Amino acid sequence: MDRRRFIQALGTGTGIVAFSQAHKDEAKAFAEGQSAINPSDLTWGKAPCRYCGTGCGVEAGVKDGKVMAVRGDTASPVNKGLLCVKGYHLPAMLYGKDRLTHPMKRGADGKSWEKISWDDALDLIASKYQEALKESGPESVAIYGSGQWTIFDGYAALKWFKGGMRSNNIEPNARLCMASAVMGFVTQFQSDEPMGCYEDFEEGDDFIMWGNNMAEMHPVLFSRILESKRKKPNVRIIDLATRRTATTDYADMYVEFRPGSDLAIANGILHLLIESGKLDNAFIKENIVFKRGIEDLEEIGFGCYGDQAEHYTFQDKTRDSSIDEFKKLVSEYTPAHVSKISGVPEAQLRSLAEMYGDQSRGTISLWCMGVNQHTRGTWMNNLITNLHLVTGKISRPGSNPFSLTGQPSACGTVREVGTLANRLPADMVVTKKEHRDIAEKIWGVPEGTIPAKPGYHATDMFRAFMRGDVKVMWVQTTNPWVTMPNLHRIDRKPGDGRFLIVSDIYPTPTTEAADLVLPAAAWIEREGAFGNSERRTQHFDKLVEPPGEAKEDAWQIIEVAKRMGMGHLFPWPEDAWHKPMFEEYRSFGLGHGKDLASYDQLRKTRGMVWPVVDGKETLYRYAAGYDPYVKKSKGVHFYKAKGYGEKAAVWFRPYHPPAEEPDADYPFWLCTGRVLEHWHTGSLTRRVKQLHQAVPKAYVELNRADATKLSVKSGDRVKLVSRRGSMEMDVKVDGRGKPPVGSVFVPFFDEHYLINELTLDAMCNISKQPDYKKCAVRVERV
């Protein structure tokens, strides 16, 4: 199956989607009275897609101030002209009937809303922050953004909070989706983000997907793998998963494992590589050190029980190890032992080890939320990368560990700008004085301005807000009153003594919880820049005006900062601040292996993959012949890992059981996730008629045997009950997803079915990323 047929099979066509031609309802919304659209009548502009972290290039066709059509950008090296079903309907997300168009303040009765001016809204925000700072200090203020923030938004928030208010309480929703990948790369290379690029999808031979439904979640990238497989029939796709999905349909081998047992599987593969003599000893000697951390389950915990349920601040402690100790520790993970833990047949474990150990074939490991949303997510990232390090199959075309991301700028804005409680731009952290000194010098603020203590991580931030320790919080470009785990913990009523500001483009459960709501400009209604999963930074221009009084998030932040007497942090012309802001931000990484392309370069290109040195992008980090920071004639050099002697670290990470497992009272596993047609909480895609009609509401996937036992069929209602909440939903049997006996799956895109009222707020011990993939429930027939 070629790329286009695959995309069509997933429910979309190709070419231009002109809304006034294809859909009568959209004709009214986009161009009243227009009966046809001729592409030559439109003004076309480039932009990255607004949805996932793939970073597909699109061209938007504009006429009379409206986005009239969209098409895949054939000049984009990411998607080469194709889009997924969400991408082909991008413009519709701008034109929902209920767009927020004016600032609104909650009335004194706690129920009504009153329209207020921008000046009044901004003055109110500034006064609330100033009051909290004066009375309770910098730890009492917070801002919560996302991987949907543009680079400009994130940098403005970071500078205002850490350089202005002296607070590290800035967090993104990306803490919920890719923080484990960050800490995986940081603990092994002392630098974040993958070393490979999308060219790996043509170069690789074996694509091993660890809990990653790539066919639905990253369909355009998956189509590149399928195209490679069509041209090279020896290409293999391996699907390691806890349920069958659309990805399974295209896999050469499906490996089903018990939830949480992936830790044992990875260690079992390492054991077999050692046993069969498949380690690359020369590579290890030249490039690898061995490390251990705290491994005791009781000492680590899960962050959701006892004292940890309010403050989970576990800190790992690193100690040196050796290859001999590593081999001894891994030796207990025999095929028989791992098979008993995971349910995976020994023959499949041996097949996986043979693939990783075969030096004649390139191996790409791919993962996303299944690995990251894990109580030992950082450990799983470490273990997957270990497989590449001990075999030397890393930093070369077709052989790399590759973490995929779910938001358009989780990499560019969160990981690179550093919009996390402990980070600064370009891999710098607030805990290191030399890093704080660099930031303070670039920002022109006094020494000691940036606190050395990290702020609250996301889950603790919301716990602190509910306790009243955080007095004022601003939420932008995200919907936490749908996405936070164990949602009942953040139930609130206005008038509780805290103040919540929300900037968004549509009403959501989060705006319902707010005291002040601000209308935001979206996508190409403002200038922006995103960074995708392959380190590609992409710029886009403003192509249309936002509706009503909607404003871009960065502007909102800057205006509040000015009202607080912090205008010196943003000393640029009001009508031309994007370029100088970007160049200031870019200065953090120049000369450090995090070099971004210049603002002018990005405007001219379809994005560039950093590090960009002398105008040339770097497809493979740490690789001789590709990375300008590597001076060797061949091989690799992990030059960012200064603390490891410029070598990468292999970590021993043992198997730990999940925080909660099925029992007699709650006998089913619950896993949550996304579906092809919708994105995240559905606040955008559920307003697109075609996507909403395709999947109009959430459901629970049941195995046919379990459905028979419960005497239910597709369309019947059941009640899901966990230790935290309950919910009634329709059943789906034998859909695209097919869970095994004893397991259920529920997507989280539907705000009418808040599945996170049932999930557990357990989290990774290192990254503090919650685990949405496994908790215990029971299923009752209604």
Side-chain angles (χ1 to χ4, degrees), residues 24-32 66 95:
K24 292 182 180 179
D25 288 345
E26 279 66 32
K28 288 186 178 181
F30 294 109
E32 190 72 36
K66 296 282 188 179
Y95 299 115

Side-chain angles (χ1 to χ4, degrees), residues 41-328:
D41 292 337
L42 305 180
T43 300
W44 294 89
K46 71 175 178 72
C49 178
R50 172 60 178 76
Y51 292 124
C52 80
T54 298
C56 289
V58 305
E59 290 184 293
V62 176
K63 185 176 182 179
D64 299 329
K66 296 282 188 179
V67 182
M68 305 294 290
V70 67
R71 64 190 179 193
D73 187 352
T74 57
S76 169
V78 172
N79 54 309
K80 305 176 183 180
L82 285 186
L83 297 173
C84 77
V85 64
K86 294 185 292 294
Y88 278 117
H89 291 90
L90 255 173
M93 69 95 171
L94 296 174
Y95 299 115
K97 295 177 182 178
D98 55 345
R99 272 294 296 265
L100 298 173
T101 56
H102 304 279
M104 294 185 297
K105 178 185 175 184
R106 190 176 293 276
D109 61 4
K111 297 179 180 179
S112 62
W113 291 91
E114 60 180 271
K115 203 180 289 186
I116 63 173
S117 69
W118 268 110
D119 280 338
D120 287 346
L122 297 169
D123 288 344
L124 178 60
I125 297 170
S127 68
K128 290 292 184 180
Y129 273 114
Q130 287 171 321
E131 180 183 344
L133 288 169
K134 181 179 179 180
E135 294 181 0
S136 304
E139 292 190 4
S140 69
V141 296
I143 189 167
Y144 185 70
S146 83
Q148 300 158 62
W149 259 344
T150 69
I151 288 172
F152 302 107
D153 303 331
Y155 187 70
L158 180 84
K159 191 176 184 182
W160 172 44
F161 252 71
K162 300 192 177 188
M165 288 193 284
R166 301 181 178 228
S167 173
N168 285 328
N169 283 342
I170 173 173
E171 274 285 283
N173 69 354
R175 176 74 71 176
L176 313 181
C177 66
M178 53 88 238
S180 296
V182 172
M183 293 313 299
F185 286 116
V186 168
T187 53
Q188 295 190 277
F189 306 98
Q190 298 195 320
S191 179
D192 185 25
E193 296 199 48
M195 53 288 304
C197 65
Y198 293 164
E199 300 299 313
D200 281 329
F201 299 131
E202 285 75 43
E203 298 288 343
D205 299 304
D206 294 326
F207 296 89
I208 301 177
M209 306 194 183
W210 290 82
N212 178 24
N213 181 13
M214 193 175 177
E216 288 193 79
M217 302 305 104
H218 298 87
V220 171
L221 296 182
F222 193 69
S223 76
R224 290 180 62 165
I225 296 175
L226 291 185
E227 180 69 4
S228 180
K229 186 175 177 64
R230 185 180 70 85
K231 293 177 179 178
K232 301 186 297 182
N234 66 335
V235 166
R236 296 180 295 197
I237 297 171
I238 313 302
D239 181 26
L240 285 90
T242 58
R243 82 190 225 280
R244 291 179 178 270
T245 65
T247 301
T248 315
D249 296 338
Y250 299 94
D252 294 272
M253 183 169 73
Y254 172 60
V255 181
E256 187 171 289
F257 61 92
R258 294 190 185 106
S261 66
D262 42 3
L263 292 156
I265 293 168
N267 275 305
I269 297 171
L270 287 164
H271 166 80
L272 287 168
L273 289 170
I274 294 167
E275 183 182 68
S276 59
K278 295 294 180 66
L279 302 191
D280 187 334
N281 291 305
F283 184 90
I284 291 170
K285 183 177 180 180
E286 183 179 355
N287 299 295
I288 305 300
V289 295
F290 290 83
K291 299 288 181 179
R292 296 181 68 181
I294 296 173
E295 296 154 9
D296 179 71
L297 176 59
E298 298 221 350
E299 184 175 355
I300 295 171
F302 295 110
C304 57
Y305 300 116
D307 293 339
Q308 294 178 342
E310 280 301 319
H311 304 278
Y312 188 50
T313 57
F314 171 84
Q315 294 293 316
D316 203 12
K317 295 179 181 178
T318 303
R319 50 182 162 148
D320 292 334
S321 185
S322 67
I323 188 169
D324 291 334
E325 184 182 34
F326 181 77
K327 289 179 178 179
K328 182 179 180 181

Side-chain angles (χ1 to χ4, degrees), residues 151-152 155 527-528 539 541 572-573 575-587 597-604:
I151 288 172
F152 302 107
Y155 187 70
E527 182 178 348
H539 175 274
D541 286 323
W572 309 300
D575 59 348
W577 52 266
H578 289 89
K579 180 176 179 177
M581 176 187 279
F582 186 86
E583 291 300 330
E584 178 185 281
Y585 156 60
R586 177 174 170 254
S587 69
S598 71
Y599 178 89
D600 291 335
Q601 284 177 307
L602 293 176
R603 290 202 67 192
K604 294 175 183 176

